[in-house]
Amino acid sequence: MLRTHTCGELTANTINQSVTLCGWVQKSRDLGGMTFVDLRDRYGITQVVFNMESNADLCLNARKLGREFVVKIRGKVAERSNKNLKIKTGEIEIIADSLDILTTSQTPPFTIEENTDGGDELRMKYRYLDLRRETVRKNLELRHRLAIETRLYLDRLQFLEVETPVLIKSTPEGARDFVVPSRMNQGEFYALPQSPQTFKQLLMVGGFDRYYQLVKCFRDEDLRADRQPEFTQIDCEMSFVEQDDILQTFEGMVHHLFSAVKGISIPDMPRMTYADAMKYYGNDKPDIRFEMKFVELNELLKGKGFKVMDDAEYIVGICAKGAAEYTRKQLDELTEFVKRPQIGASGLIYARCNADGSVKSSVDKFYNETELALWTKAMDAKPGDLMLILAGEKNKTRKAMSELRLEMGSRLGLRNPSEYRCLWVVDFPLLEWSEETARWHAMHHPFTSPKPEDISILASNPGVVRANAYDMVINGVEVGGGSIRIHNKELQAQMFELLGFSKEDAQAQFGFLMNAFEFGAPPHGGIAFGFDRLCSLFGGTDTIRDFIAFPKNNSGRDVMIDSPSTISAEQLKELGIHVS
Amino acid sequence: MLRTHTCGELTANTINQSVTLCGWVQKSRDLGGMTFVDLRDRYGITQVVFNMESNADLCLNARKLGREFVVKIRGKVAERSNKNLKIKTGEIEIIADSLDILTTSQTPPFTIEENTDGGDELRMKYRYLDLRRETVRKNLELRHRLAIETRLYLDRLQFLEVETPVLIKSTPEGARDFVVPSRMNQGEFYALPQSPQTFKQLLMVGGFDRYYQLVKCFRDEDLRADRQPEFTQIDCEMSFVEQDDILQTFEGMVHHLFSAVKGISIPDMPRMTYADAMKYYGNDKPDIRFEMKFVELNELLKGKGFKVMDDAEYIVGICAKGAAEYTRKQLDELTEFVKRPQIGASGLIYARCNADGSVKSSVDKFYNETELALWTKAMDAKPGDLMLILAGEKNKTRKAMSELRLEMGSRLGLRNPSEYRCLWVVDFPLLEWSEETARWHAMHHPFTSPKPEDISILASNPGVVRANAYDMVINGVEVGGGSIRIHNKELQAQMFELLGFSKEDAQAQFGFLMNAFEFGAPPHGGIAFGFDRLCSLFGGTDTIRDFIAFPKNNSGRDVMIDSPSTISAEQLKELGIHVS
């Protein structure tokens, strides 16, 4: 090694040792007779001192060092007079006796600091410089640690990591595939996997019993703010299990990760039905760090002559604890919030519970004191609380109230990113009706098993059939989801039919799986976690991009390497394709 | 869980326990009053007994079980009268008191046995059935174990696993890229990585110091017997290192893997220059499980009137210990072997060292006893040994002799697959001349650093410049290779120029890397191991396909899922491409 130590390990125990360090010049300061250089590497920062009096040439060389120069410094560890106890190396400094410049550097286009002056696009273009910032590096160290601990946990439970292929087959169900033209089979294409779903099921048919894989998946979607065309899953499958076995196994995994990686113990995970999640939170991924549950108010608000209420399909309220003091301005902000097009409520009713027990609502002309008292009772509002009410079409109103609830949670400081509350949402509907395509779609995917007790109504009343499907939700974010799978050829065929596949299409696309089911498929089920999302949650932020070493921008472009790009005419010819 | 135990864990300690097992019917035998069923899962095989006398209905049901039915059996553990001490569960059997058929099975197209009756193509088509065979499963279990131990070793040395992108940019250097048309940027393409080379170098520029990744890589090559279009590398890079640091670190990794996974300690790894490997083994990946080194014989065989020798550029011999007894037939086989077109020697000279000290050669009319004695001395041949000599154009003859040496090693039983001898081949040439393209090509890749002492002759005499490049070779197989990289923009630009890149092409393709070198790149180097190959070597076989869960055939086709395949006109339209 060019160095004897890293820039993060020398402490007071090493005083008087001769050492060699390598790293980047974080900054340097000339103080007359002395030049101080902060030398940085992945492991930390060490202060190096050059002394004009004892070695003028060396000190003059040190003065020429620019930011981000890569240097090798030999010297002796000395106690620092001006200690910095915030960092591990803060008790010592290196009195340099030699300096080699290994590589010079241009002035970087933004500062390599916690709070950099670089904008997003600039930092994406120079991602290799952004990666030098401690916060970015720490995110990727966290990701590494989570991956290692995930594997250790699953390995202990006898899960085998099996690599499934990346060059697979295009299937129209689900999102859009990325495809890869085949040169050896011109006119034909591979597809990149949206998930290894069918392969992990085949591994179960193959008797692998417990499978996992940290695996890249691909979706050619129009990218929203926080979607990436390639992303990573913790993909898992188990045989001879029931739903509860999977919930327990992966609840255990998440407990292990919190404990091993963050050193914290999290509360047990409640299980909530999809129906309850929708009823009480208007959302299939409720943030349960705070209560503020929905209360249905149809009975209390209808029939009092207020037409908006009388016409509403659904009226719902939440009680924001301690928010009765909200000013007119704050309440107007909330009204604006729910009226934004992406939320789309037509208005907001509020009612303050005053300290004296009286209630003051925004709709006093329709509801008298007795009626307001009934609201208070229904919502369990106490003096000092603020009741917020929305009304309208049921699904839309639920969605709007869910947003308002989260907004109030944020405003009231109830969504601390370093507090973690996990839960399972279970009993999802098997199917959802799409008006657009006028057919049923699989809510999870076409391989999900209906609950055995609901199979008898699958043909007659598909919309109410529940699935053995589950999501893990942490702090209002869906981090994983899965299901017990169909392992029976007839039921799988029935599902494909319900989903509008012709027999021929089902055979062409999933024939290999249905054939496999002819040869003794075990009961099985599994789950997949969004690993990028899990990392960002552990890191306490919202943006998965910060946890990906080389992310793409919202147009699916890597601005650093400038990809995608055109390819040569010769390549196109070999592949047997033209660009339109 | 549907079971209380697996089929691989019940021993004599559990006698009288009530248990529930699930698994596949491996076979069943009716012996009058009793029916025996071997129940199989990933963990083992357990014998289950159904008794006609105590439970006739159950026994009759058991008799209907076919091979590969999936069943759940409840019963009591009993001591077996007829113990099988070869398997862990061989001391016990289960006296069944209930039987559930979870799934039936058609008769599989081949037997699920160690020695199956299924041919290669059939087993590829029904890979999920082939995966049930113990030998295939054990290969993938070995792969899992190697991956886990690789990660643990590197994690302990503070390497971070960082995922690099799969959708990158096409570059014409090296093998052919697989490309992915971009829908959002029509007319443009991503490429799948042949290796994460430039990204790992950018991680070093980004200060990550130590990186690794078990990563899928892709090459669109015409497939030879044992190549796959997608394969896995253990990809590594380190900063502030010299060649020796890398050799030590990864020698340590391989020692760890042998010890942790196979429980064996392997000898230290010698280092051999490329020049010596070619001189003594005719091959840059010598199998050093046996000696049989090349001896150059130009001086001894030329000028004796044998025209073939007099005209030969190069004459080389090996001494096959104890092979003097080879019959005429065996010697003819060897002559046929070297004359095959893929080896291409024009003939083979041999000389036997008889027990009485005399030497009998196939070219006695040109060489007398005294001359043969000199051969014997040069090749250190002893009575009982066989000398084998080839002559001709130097490179071709070396190659032919290398093949002959390996063949003799195999014939003499010197290539035991469970004996492991590793070495480093170092000091590779930086460049090789291609007659086909009439230009220099990088022997490793364009990012490899010349040895500092050779840089001065890079422009004047590129052919003799050595690189800081190294391969790890185990039992004659190259399992890994790497180099110290260029980290200086000017030298990198000079390399691209030598390789025939115009300034514009170099900038268009690798501009991001050269730009990165403007901002303080540390000295760095790395290595990549072929993980599929490493697994097959640990498994003691030659075929990497046996260590891949879902391999493709030699036409790059997955015959199980029938991919690649055509895609819809709508997909093509969205991507803005036509098929020619």
Side-chain angles (χ1 to χ4, degrees):
Chain A
M1 301 290 299
L2 300 181
R3 65 194 175 206
T4 58
H5 295 80
T6 70
C7 297
E9 61 180 314
L10 296 170
T11 62
N13 297 328
T14 57
I15 283 166
N16 279 326
Q17 272 189 32
S18 286
V19 299
T20 307
L21 301 186
C22 292
W24 285 261
V25 173
Q26 175 76 22
K27 62 179 173 196
S28 67
R29 305 179 298 287
D30 292 327
L31 300 179
M34 314 257 264
T35 294
F36 292 91
V37 169
D38 282 352
L39 193 65
R40 184 195 72 234
D41 67 10
R42 176 182 133 198
Y43 310 94
I45 288 182
T46 299
Q47 177 169 298
V48 183
V49 187
F50 297 86
N51 195 316
M52 201 63 194
E53 207 165 300
S54 59
N55 193 335
D57 284 354
L58 190 67
C59 193
L60 288 171
N61 279 339
R63 285 189 186 171
K64 292 181 205 143
L65 294 174
R67 276 203 289 136
E68 301 306 316
F69 276 36
V70 183
V71 297
K72 178 166 111 172
I73 284 165
R74 228 177 41 219
K76 196 166 266 192
V77 183
E79 191 173 355
R80 207 153 134 181
S81 53
N82 185 9
K83 294 195 173 54
N84 175 356
L85 297 179
K86 279 190 229 147
I87 64 171
K88 196 176 164 200
T89 57
E91 292 183 275
I92 57 94
E93 61 194 5
I94 311 298
I95 311 297
D97 50 45
S98 90
L99 163 66
D100 292 313
I101 297 177
L102 300 175
T103 339
T104 60
S105 173
Q106 291 187 15
T107 304
F110 50 86
T111 55
I112 314 291
E113 305 272 0
E114 176 80 29
N115 292 309
T116 178
D117 56 0
D120 270 3
E121 275 292 307
L122 194 63
R123 288 189 293 115
M124 292 273 273
K125 183 164 165 57
Y126 295 92
R127 184 65 171 176
Y128 44 86
L129 296 179
D130 206 26
L131 288 171
R132 290 187 192 162
R133 293 171 56 230
E134 187 179 5
T135 138
V136 181
R137 198 190 62 238
K138 285 220 176 302
N139 288 344
L140 290 163
E141 285 174 348
L142 173 68
R143 185 180 178 111
H144 165 73
R145 187 57 40 213
L146 280 167
I148 283 268
E149 291 297 340
T150 298
R151 290 189 161 102
L152 289 178
Y153 176 83
L154 293 171
D155 183 51
R156 273 199 291 276
L157 294 182
Q158 299 194 279
F159 282 80
L160 294 174
E161 183 159 22
V162 179
E163 293 174 57
T164 53
V166 177
L167 296 172
I168 64 164
K169 183 172 174 157
S170 188
T171 56
E173 182 72 1
R176 218 181 272 107
D177 286 318
F178 282 106
V179 298
V180 180
S182 166
R183 181 180 54 87
M184 292 211 274
N185 306 273
Q186 285 199 0
E188 296 188 331
F189 293 78
Y190 302 99
L192 304 183
Q194 296 181 32
S195 91
Q197 182 63 31
T198 49
F199 287 96
K200 68 177 175 174
Q201 292 193 242
L202 291 174
L203 285 172
M204 295 303 105
V205 176
F208 270 56
D209 204 71
R210 294 179 167 206
Y211 144 91
Y212 79 96
Q213 188 182 191
L214 269 79
V215 60
K216 272 278 171 77
C217 300
F218 305 87
R219 277 182 207 165
D220 186 11
E221 292 180 275
D222 295 318
L223 301 173
R224 290 187 309 222
D226 208 24
R227 283 271 178 94
Q228 288 280 320
E230 50 180 299
F231 55 98
T232 303
Q233 285 189 351
I234 305 172
D235 191 50
C236 307
E237 199 79 5
M238 303 171 80
S239 288
F240 300 117
V241 290
E242 293 170 301
Q243 174 170 306
D244 194 53
D245 302 309
I246 296 186
L247 302 192
Q248 281 185 29
T249 303
F250 292 96
E251 190 164 329
M253 183 179 92
V254 170
H255 276 286
H256 170 76
L257 292 179
F258 274 108
S259 144
V261 177
K262 293 187 74 83
I264 59 178
S265 158
I266 54 160
D268 283 342
M269 301 188 195
R271 296 177 189 179
M272 189 184 295
T273 62
Y274 172 85
D276 277 356
M278 295 308 289
K279 181 172 177 187
Y280 294 117
Y281 301 93
N283 192 318
D284 61 4
K285 38 183 191 285
D287 184 345
I288 60 166
R289 280 173 296 184
F290 62 105
E291 284 271 328
M292 216 186 282
K293 283 188 187 171
F294 287 17
V295 179
E296 289 191 23
L297 299 170
N298 287 28
E299 279 192 24
L300 297 185
L301 273 80
K302 277 175 181 273
K304 308 295 172 188
F306 186 7
K307 191 166 185 305
V308 178
M309 294 299 123
D310 291 347
D311 292 350
E313 180 188 4
Y314 176 75
I315 308 170
V316 63
I318 54 174
C319 171
K321 294 276 162 208
E325 307 284 302
Y326 262 38
T327 61
R328 182 77 214 184
K329 182 162 170 280
Q330 286 174 302
L331 291 164
D332 285 348
E333 280 168 12
L334 292 181
T335 306
E336 287 310 306
F337 177 84
V338 299
K339 286 170 89 171
R340 287 182 311 157
Q342 57 270 51
I343 297 190
S346 52
L348 172 68
I349 296 173
Y350 59 83
R352 293 193 172 91
C353 297
N354 297 320
D356 62 5
S358 68
V359 180
K360 173 78 187 139
S361 87
S362 57
V363 285
D364 279 359
K365 64 177 164 180
F366 297 109
Y367 302 97
N368 62 31
E369 231 173 272
T370 317
E371 283 156 350
L372 292 178
L374 289 173
W375 298 11
T376 313
K377 189 163 172 237
M379 290 197 247
D380 195 26
K382 301 281 181 272
D385 294 349
L386 175 70
M387 294 181 274
L388 298 167
I389 297 170
L390 295 173
E393 188 271 316
K394 186 169 183 176
N395 288 336
K396 200 171 147 188
T397 305
R398 272 186 169 171
K399 200 163 166 297
M401 185 53 104
S402 170
E403 295 292 336
L404 179 60
R405 174 182 173 272
L406 292 173
E407 172 69 15
M408 286 309 299
S410 297
R411 285 175 177 246
L412 295 172
L414 303 173
R415 303 178 73 193
N416 175 0
S418 58
E419 182 196 343
Y420 294 95
R421 292 295 301 277
C422 316
L423 80 156
W424 289 105
V425 177
V426 299
D427 296 357
F428 276 82
L430 182 68
L431 301 161
E432 52 188 349
W433 181 258
S434 159
E435 292 297 342
E436 198 186 325
T437 60
R439 67 169 177 90
W440 293 105
H441 285 250
M443 189 134 176
H444 186 52
H445 56 48
F447 314 106
T448 295
S449 178
K451 282 195 176 283
E453 59 268 35
D454 291 359
I455 290 181
S456 59
I457 51 165
L458 189 54
S460 57
N461 196 358
V464 305
V465 172
R466 293 163 306 155
N468 268 326
Y470 32 80
D471 277 355
M472 184 185 281
V473 175
I474 305 183
N475 291 2
V477 175
E478 181 211 321
V479 295
S483 63
I484 298 295
R485 323 301 183 186
I486 297 168
H487 66 282
N488 166 302
K489 193 188 170 178
E490 287 70 38
L491 185 54
Q492 187 66 66
Q494 190 183 354
M495 264 304 277
F496 284 132
E497 201 187 323
L498 255 175
L499 297 173
F501 281 78
S502 71
K503 271 210 173 70
E504 293 69 33
D505 282 353
Q507 186 60 36
Q509 287 166 40
F510 299 110
F512 60 95
L513 186 69
M514 303 222 279
N515 290 346
F517 286 174
E518 300 275 17
F519 295 100
H524 62 284
I527 192 166
F529 289 85
F531 187 57
D532 310 286
R533 173 67 60 213
L534 196 67
C535 291
S536 77
L537 203 74
F538 270 69
T541 81
D542 282 343
T543 39
I544 64 171
R545 193 188 279 178
D546 293 346
F547 293 80
I548 295 173
F550 298 101
K552 295 188 174 50
N553 74 9
N554 286 348
S555 325
R557 181 165 282 283
D558 183 328
V559 296
M560 180 185 70
I561 62 171
D562 192 22
S563 167
S565 57
T566 54
I567 60 175
S568 70
E570 192 189 348
Q571 275 176 294
L572 290 169
K573 192 175 162 215
E574 279 195 323
L575 296 169
I577 57 174
H578 298 285
V579 168
S580 299
Chain B
M1 300 290 300
L2 300 181
R3 66 194 174 205
T4 59
H5 296 80
T6 71
C7 297
E9 63 179 312
L10 295 170
T11 63
N13 297 328
T14 57
I15 284 166
N16 280 327
Q17 272 189 30
S18 287
V19 298
T20 307
L21 301 186
C22 292
W24 285 261
V25 173
Q26 175 75 20
K27 63 179 174 196
S28 67
R29 304 178 298 286
D30 291 330
L31 301 178
M34 314 258 262
T35 293
F36 292 91
V37 170
D38 282 353
L39 194 65
R40 185 196 72 234
D41 67 10
R42 175 181 133 198
Y43 310 95
I45 288 182
T46 299
Q47 177 169 295
V48 183
V49 187
F50 297 86
N51 196 316
M52 201 65 195
E53 207 165 299
S54 59
N55 193 337
D57 284 353
L58 190 67
C59 193
L60 287 171
N61 278 340
R63 286 187 186 174
K64 291 181 208 144
L65 294 175
R67 277 201 288 135
E68 302 305 317
F69 277 36
V70 183
V71 298
K72 178 167 111 171
I73 284 165
R74 226 179 40 219
K76 196 166 266 191
V77 183
E79 192 173 355
R80 208 153 134 181
S81 53
N82 184 11
K83 295 194 174 56
N84 174 358
L85 297 180
K86 279 189 229 147
I87 64 171
K88 195 175 166 199
T89 58
E91 292 183 273
I92 59 95
E93 60 194 8
I94 311 298
I95 311 297
D97 50 59
S98 91
L99 164 66
D100 292 313
I101 296 177
L102 300 175
T103 339
T104 60
S105 174
Q106 290 188 15
T107 305
F110 51 84
T111 56
I112 313 290
E113 305 273 1
E114 174 81 27
N115 291 308
T116 176
D117 57 359
D120 269 5
E121 275 292 306
L122 194 65
R123 288 189 290 116
M124 291 273 273
K125 182 166 164 58
Y126 295 93
R127 183 67 172 176
Y128 43 87
L129 297 179
D130 206 26
L131 288 172
R132 289 186 192 163
R133 293 171 56 230
E134 188 181 4
T135 137
V136 181
R137 196 192 64 238
K138 286 222 174 301
N139 288 344
L140 291 163
E141 287 175 348
L142 173 68
R143 185 180 178 111
H144 165 72
R145 188 55 41 213
L146 279 167
I148 283 268
E149 291 296 341
T150 298
R151 290 188 161 100
L152 289 178
Y153 175 82
L154 293 172
D155 183 50
R156 273 199 291 275
L157 293 183
Q158 297 194 280
F159 282 80
L160 294 175
E161 185 159 21
V162 180
E163 293 175 57
T164 53
V166 176
L167 297 171
I168 64 165
K169 182 172 174 157
S170 188
T171 57
E173 182 71 3
R176 218 181 269 109
D177 285 320
F178 283 105
V179 298
V180 180
S182 166
R183 180 181 55 87
M184 290 210 277
N185 306 272
Q186 284 199 2
E188 297 188 329
F189 293 78
Y190 301 99
L192 305 183
Q194 296 182 31
S195 92
Q197 182 62 32
T198 48
F199 288 96
K200 69 177 174 174
Q201 292 193 242
L202 291 174
L203 285 171
M204 295 303 105
V205 176
F208 270 55
D209 204 68
R210 296 180 166 205
Y211 145 92
Y212 79 97
Q213 188 182 191
L214 270 78
V215 59
K216 273 279 174 75
C217 301
F218 305 85
R219 278 182 206 166
D220 186 10
E221 292 179 275
D222 296 318
L223 300 174
R224 290 189 308 224
D226 207 25
R227 284 271 179 92
Q228 289 280 321
E230 52 179 297
F231 55 96
T232 303
Q233 287 189 351
I234 306 172
D235 191 50
C236 307
E237 199 79 3
M238 304 171 80
S239 289
F240 301 116
V241 290
E242 292 169 301
Q243 175 169 304
D244 195 55
D245 301 310
I246 296 186
L247 301 192
Q248 281 185 30
T249 303
F250 292 96
E251 190 164 329
M253 183 180 94
V254 171
H255 277 286
H256 171 77
L257 292 178
F258 274 108
S259 145
V261 176
K262 293 187 75 79
I264 60 178
S265 158
I266 54 160
D268 282 343
M269 300 188 195
R271 296 178 190 178
M272 190 184 295
T273 63
Y274 172 84
D276 278 354
M278 296 308 288
K279 181 174 178 186
Y280 294 117
Y281 301 93
N283 192 317
D284 62 3
K285 38 182 190 288
D287 184 345
I288 59 166
R289 279 173 297 184
F290 61 108
E291 284 272 327
M292 215 185 284
K293 283 186 186 171
F294 286 18
V295 180
E296 289 191 21
L297 299 170
N298 286 30
E299 279 190 26
L300 297 185
L301 274 80
K302 277 176 183 274
K304 308 295 171 186
F306 186 8
K307 189 165 186 308
V308 178
M309 294 301 122
D310 292 347
D311 292 350
E313 181 187 4
Y314 176 75
I315 309 170
V316 64
I318 56 173
C319 171
K321 293 278 161 205
E325 307 284 303
Y326 262 38
T327 60
R328 181 76 215 188
K329 183 162 169 280
Q330 286 173 302
L331 292 164
D332 285 349
E333 280 169 14
L334 293 181
T335 305
E336 288 310 305
F337 177 84
V338 297
K339 285 169 88 172
R340 289 182 310 160
Q342 57 272 49
I343 296 190
S346 51
L348 172 68
I349 296 172
Y350 59 83
R352 292 191 173 95
C353 296
N354 297 319
D356 63 6
S358 67
V359 180
K360 174 76 189 140
S361 87
S362 57
V363 285
D364 278 359
K365 65 175 162 179
F366 298 108
Y367 301 96
N368 62 31
E369 232 174 88
T370 317
E371 282 157 353
L372 294 178
L374 290 172
W375 297 11
T376 314
K377 189 164 170 235
M379 288 197 249
D380 196 25
K382 300 282 182 273
D385 293 352
L386 175 69
M387 293 180 276
L388 297 167
I389 296 169
L390 295 173
E393 189 270 315
K394 187 168 180 175
N395 287 338
K396 200 170 147 188
T397 305
R398 271 185 169 171
K399 201 163 166 296
M401 185 52 104
S402 169
E403 295 293 335
L404 180 60
R405 175 181 173 272
L406 293 173
E407 172 69 15
M408 286 310 298
S410 297
R411 285 176 177 244
L412 296 172
L414 304 172
R415 302 178 72 192
N416 174 0
S418 60
E419 183 198 342
Y420 293 94
R421 292 293 303 276
C422 317
L423 81 156
W424 289 106
V425 177
V426 299
D427 296 356
F428 275 82
L430 181 68
L431 301 162
E432 52 188 348
W433 181 258
S434 160
E435 292 296 341
E436 199 186 327
T437 59
R439 67 166 177 93
W440 294 105
H441 284 250
M443 189 134 176
H444 186 53
H445 56 47
F447 313 107
T448 295
S449 178
K451 283 195 175 285
E453 59 269 34
D454 292 359
I455 290 180
S456 60
I457 52 166
L458 189 54
S460 56
N461 196 0
V464 304
V465 172
R466 292 163 306 155
N468 268 327
Y470 32 80
D471 277 356
M472 183 185 281
V473 175
I474 305 184
N475 292 2
V477 176
E478 181 210 319
V479 296
S483 63
I484 299 296
R485 323 301 183 186
I486 298 168
H487 66 282
N488 165 301
K489 194 188 172 183
E490 286 72 36
L491 185 55
Q492 187 66 66
Q494 191 183 353
M495 265 302 278
F496 284 132
E497 200 187 324
L498 255 175
L499 297 173
F501 281 79
S502 70
K503 274 212 170 71
E504 294 68 34
D505 281 354
Q507 186 58 36
Q509 287 168 39
F510 299 110
F512 59 95
L513 185 68
M514 303 221 278
N515 290 347
F517 286 174
E518 301 274 18
F519 294 99
H524 62 287
I527 192 165
F529 289 86
F531 188 57
D532 310 285
R533 174 67 59 210
L534 196 68
C535 292
S536 77
L537 203 75
F538 270 69
T541 81
D542 283 343
T543 39
I544 65 171
R545 194 188 277 177
D546 293 348
F547 294 80
I548 294 173
F550 299 101
K552 295 188 174 53
N553 74 9
N554 287 347
S555 325
R557 180 163 283 284
D558 184 328
V559 296
M560 180 185 72
I561 62 172
D562 193 21
S563 166
S565 58
T566 54
I567 60 175
S568 70
E570 193 188 344
Q571 276 175 292
L572 289 170
K573 191 174 163 217
E574 279 194 323
L575 296 170
I577 57 174
H578 297 286
V579 169
S580 298

